[in-house]
Amino acid sequence: MTVGRFPSNFTIVKPNSQGYMGFAIPRLLYISLAIDAMGRPGVAYLEEPEVGYNTVLNYWRAGTADSVKVTDTNNVQNDFATVNLAFVGNKPRVAAILSAAPSYAITYVSSPDDGTTWNAPVPLLTSGGASFYTSLAAGSAGEAISSHHNGSPSDVSVDAGCVTDPIVARSTNGGASFSGCSLSNTEVDMNGALSSAYGASRLSGKLVLVGHSSNTLADGGPGHGIVYYQDP
């Protein structure tokens, strides 16, 4: 191995927005990888502010020279942040704990093409107080964003009844809007890492969700464990 050089199968992504010394440098560990329908990898990441608090969400797909700026936090401080990338065909979708206002935490953005252009960000107003972990499932059944509250939910969240764990908001119109904020008649204190997907084969169209519970298990008893949920 030659120090300072990368093998030919490595690619250094250049930022379209900001970036230190001309290279894309993600904020801490906030980076997500997904594969589109043509087998091309895409990467979404949150970029560290050079000054102030303006965290930037960037997207890059294999075969392109530079990453594309998707949105930013409008210089609003985000102490907790995550990012999740998924594809519907070749069209990328991103759900991130990345807010431009204190009234919400989770932002959803989608591209009408292969990620060259992006629709206006959709804030999940019922997500105030969500942090640390979130997960995006996308497919023919639509989109679903799951997360959990950490700390005090916003007044909007409380008024909407979105104070149970996990938060689950769903869209059936391509992410133009989301409805709901919890699993139907189900509450599990999933206050750890989350992962979700829309099932295939016999589970087609059904949301599956797995997460870490450190307080209340599905049977109502105390303790740590991994919880698996599947839509009825």
Side-chain angles (χ1 to χ4, degrees):
M1 177 181 292
T2 301
V3 176
R5 294 193 175 189
F6 287 89
S8 59
N9 59 340
F10 274 72
T11 299
I12 301 297
V13 178
K14 297 180 179 180
N16 181 270
S17 54
Q18 51 188 51
Y20 299 106
M21 298 179 291
F23 298 108
I25 299 181
R27 176 180 171 182
L28 300 180
L29 303 178
Y30 306 130
I31 190 168
S32 182
L33 170 71
I35 308 299
D36 70 12
M38 294 181 63
R40 300 172 300 185
V43 175
Y45 63 98
L46 302 182
E47 194 163 353
E48 185 77 23
E50 290 191 73
V51 295
Y53 300 111
N54 198 42
T55 299
V56 173
L57 170 59
N58 285 338
Y59 170 78
W60 174 84
R61 183 182 55 77
T64 60
D66 299 336
S67 58
V68 175
K69 177 182 175 180
V70 177
T71 188
D72 59 45
T73 64
N74 196 32
N75 208 34
V76 172
Q77 182 174 353
N78 284 239
D79 292 331
F80 309 108
T82 61
V83 60
N84 293 262
L85 171 66
F87 284 96
V88 176
N90 296 313
K91 298 177 180 180
R93 281 86 171 90
V94 178
I97 294 182
L98 184 76
S99 57
S103 59
Y104 66 94
I106 298 173
T107 296
Y108 172 85
V109 282
S110 62
S111 171
D113 47 43
D114 62 357
T116 302
T117 60
W118 291 81
N119 298 316
V122 177
L124 272 65
L125 297 179
T126 56
S127 65
S131 66
F132 288 129
Y133 306 102
T134 190
S135 182
L136 170 65
S140 59
E143 289 80 17
I145 300 173
S146 58
S147 188
H148 73 100
H149 286 299
N150 179 70
S152 300
S154 67
D155 291 340
V156 174
S157 303
V158 174
D159 291 343
C162 304
V163 293
T164 59
D165 276 334
I167 301 168
V168 178
R170 310 191 197 208
S171 175
T172 57
N173 56 9
S177 61
F178 285 81
S179 62
C181 52
S182 63
L183 298 174
S184 299
N185 302 316
T186 304
E187 179 180 355
V188 179
D189 191 13
M190 289 190 188
N191 56 354
L194 291 165
S195 182
S196 61
Y198 277 110
S201 185
R202 66 182 182 87
L203 301 178
S204 181
K206 295 183 179 293
L207 178 69
V208 291
L209 177 69
V210 65
H212 169 234
S213 174
S214 62
N215 293 311
T216 305
L217 298 182
D219 59 4
H224 291 259
I226 300 298
V227 177
Y228 172 87
Y229 166 85
Q230 175 191 316
D231 273 346

